Amino acid sequence: MREIIYAQAIKEAMCEEMRNDPDIILMGEDVGLYGGSFEVSAGMLEEFGKKRVRDTPISEAAIAGCAVGAAVTGLRPIIEIMFSDFITIALDQIVNQAAKMRYMFGGKAKVPMVMRTPAGSGTGAAAQHSQSLEAWLCHIPGLKVVVPSTPYDAKGLLKAAIRDDNPVCFFEQKLLYRKKGMVPEGEYIVPLGKADIKKEGKDISIITYGRMIPTCLKAAQDLEKEGISVEVVDIRTLLPMDKETVIQSVQKTGRVLIVHEAVQTGGFGGEIAAVIADSDAFFYLDAPIKRLCGLDVPIPYSPELEKNVVPTEPEIKAALKRLLI
C-alpha cells in the first residue's frame, strides 16, 4: 500500500486497463496534450499515442456520440466531459442512445463505455461549472451511476466500470482530486453496486456518498467524543444501489440522516428515503427519516456563500443531534 491522491488513482485505473486491453481508448477536450483540465490524464498521450488518447473538438454531443458508436462496434471508450454541467449537451446520446441500445436490440448490442466527469462545487467555478447532476442520470434505466469518495474506491470502481458492458456515468467531485488515501499497488476491483460502511456505529446512520463522506466522518468522530455512535454508509454506486446495506444499517440504529451535496428537491436522497420507507427498516425507525442536502439554489460565485449552500460539518452534527432527541 502507498498513499496517492484521488486524481492519480483515477489515472492509474485508466492506464492499467489500457495496458491490458488495446480496445480501450480515452477521448475528451484537452485530455491529450494538456493532460486534462484537472491533470488526471497527464502523460497518457505520451504512453498510449494519439490513436488511443484523442483530443476532441469542444462538442460534448460529438464526444458522447463518438463513444456510443465506438462502443457498439467493438471498442471500450472512456470519455471525459470537462465539467459535469456539460452533460446537458451530451444527454441525447447518453440517454436516448447509450442507455437504450442493449434493450432495443434484445441484448445483441453492448455499449461498454465510461463517461467520466468532474462534478460539484467548492472551487469558485460558480453556477455553470459546479452542479451535482447525478440524480438526473439515475432516472434512466440502462445506465450505471458511480460517485467514489476515496482514492481506493475511485481506482477500484473505475476499473470495474471500464470492464462493464453497460454505459457507466462516473462522477468525480472536484474537491476530492487532491485528497490522499491508501491504495494497493497490485490489481484489485471494487464491484459496482456494493456500498461500504466507512464507520460503524449503533445510535444513528448517515447514508451519503462522494465528497460528503469526509465531512460526515469528521462530524461522526466529533460526536463519538460526546458518546454518540454514528454509522456512516457510503453507497458509492447510486445505480444500482446496494439497498440491503442501507436497510440493514437503519434496522440496526433506528435513526437515519441522508446527506448529499446536490440540491434537495429531486435529489437522490429522496430515492434513498423511499427505499427505507418501502422496506422492513421502516418498522425499526425511532424517528422520521431526515435529509440534509444542498440548498435549492444555483451555486454562488461568492466563496462564503458557496461554502454555505451545501451541508457543513456543524449542520450535520446539529441534524444528528435533533434526530436523537
Side-chain angles (χ1 to χ4, degrees):
M1 298 280 274
R2 72 268 142 82
E3 192 175 56
I4 61 174
I5 61 173
Y6 186 95
Q8 187 180 351
I10 291 168
K11 177 184 170 183
E12 280 192 3
M14 291 192 290
C15 289
E16 289 177 12
E17 293 302 300
M18 289 179 72
R19 289 175 196 135
N20 291 331
D21 186 345
D23 289 334
I24 300 170
I25 61 172
L26 173 65
M27 297 189 292
E29 297 158 10
D30 289 335
V31 298
L33 279 174
Y34 190 65
S37 54
F38 295 91
E39 302 179 337
V40 175
S41 55
M44 291 181 65
L45 175 65
E46 289 77 4
E47 178 174 354
F48 297 102
K50 289 183 178 179
K51 285 189 176 178
R52 298 184 67 195
V53 178
R54 289 179 173 254
D55 281 322
T56 66
I58 304 174
S59 172
E60 288 75 16
I63 298 167
C66 287
V68 174
V72 296
T73 52
L75 296 180
R76 306 186 77 85
I78 306 165
I79 60 171
E80 179 180 300
I81 302 297
M82 190 179 283
F83 289 90
S84 68
D85 312 74
F86 305 149
I87 63 174
T88 52
I89 303 165
L91 276 182
D92 179 54
Q93 294 296 334
I94 300 298
V95 172
N96 286 327
Q97 306 302 331
K100 303 292 190 295
M101 282 194 182
R102 192 167 189 175
Y103 294 89
M104 293 174 68
F105 291 101
K108 294 178 181 176
K110 297 177 182 176
V111 191
M113 61 175 281
V114 177
M115 180 184 72
R116 292 183 37 244
T117 187
S121 64
T123 61
Q128 296 167 317
H129 296 73
S130 303
Q131 296 172 86
S132 299
L133 302 177
E134 60 273 10
W136 287 18
L137 298 172
C138 291
H139 191 64
I140 309 300
L143 297 180
K144 297 185 178 181
V145 180
V146 181
V147 190
S149 67
T150 67
Y152 177 91
D153 288 347
K155 181 175 179 180
L157 286 165
L158 183 53
K159 288 168 78 76
I162 293 169
R163 297 182 192 186
D164 201 284
D165 283 337
N166 300 285
V168 180
C169 304
F170 199 88
F171 287 85
E172 303 161 3
Q173 288 179 309
K174 296 189 283 288
L175 279 189
L176 294 174
Y177 275 136
R178 302 297 155 194
K179 293 286 185 185
K180 294 180 178 178
M182 301 304 291
V183 176
E185 293 190 44
E187 165 75 11
Y188 73 96
I189 291 281
V190 175
L192 304 181
K194 183 63 182 171
D196 184 42
I197 298 175
K198 290 288 193 280
K199 177 186 174 302
E200 295 208 0
K202 60 181 178 58
D203 296 328
I204 188 168
S205 299
I206 298 178
I207 314 296
T208 184
Y209 58 88
R211 85 159 169 114
M212 285 293 110
I213 289 292
T215 308
C216 289
L217 283 172
K218 181 68 171 59
Q221 287 157 2
D222 285 353
L223 291 183
E224 202 80 32
K225 298 169 189 169
E226 300 178 31
I228 300 170
S229 176
V230 182
E231 182 149 295
V232 179
V233 178
D234 181 357
I235 54 174
R236 300 195 294 197
T237 304
L238 279 58
L239 195 67
M241 180 172 44
D242 181 358
K243 298 177 183 177
E244 186 178 352
T245 297
V246 171
I247 290 167
Q248 286 177 352
S249 179
V250 177
Q251 285 178 332
K252 180 169 76 170
T253 64
R255 292 177 169 85
V256 60
L257 177 68
I258 299 162
V259 181
H260 59 60
E261 175 179 336
V263 298
Q264 177 161 309
T265 302
F268 195 70
E271 182 62 24
I272 299 171
V275 164
I276 296 166
D278 285 346
S279 74
D280 288 344
F282 177 80
F283 301 103
Y284 290 76
L285 288 171
D286 296 317
I289 303 166
K290 288 293 182 183
R291 289 179 289 167
L292 182 63
C293 311
L295 301 182
D296 287 341
V297 297
I299 298 296
Y301 179 64
S302 156
E304 198 57 36
L305 292 176
E306 183 183 27
K307 277 191 295 187
N308 287 287
V309 296
V310 300
T312 62
E313 186 189 323
E315 289 172 340
I316 294 168
K317 285 194 284 191
L320 290 168
K321 287 182 176 179
R322 284 196 295 272
L323 277 168
L324 288 163
I325 293 173

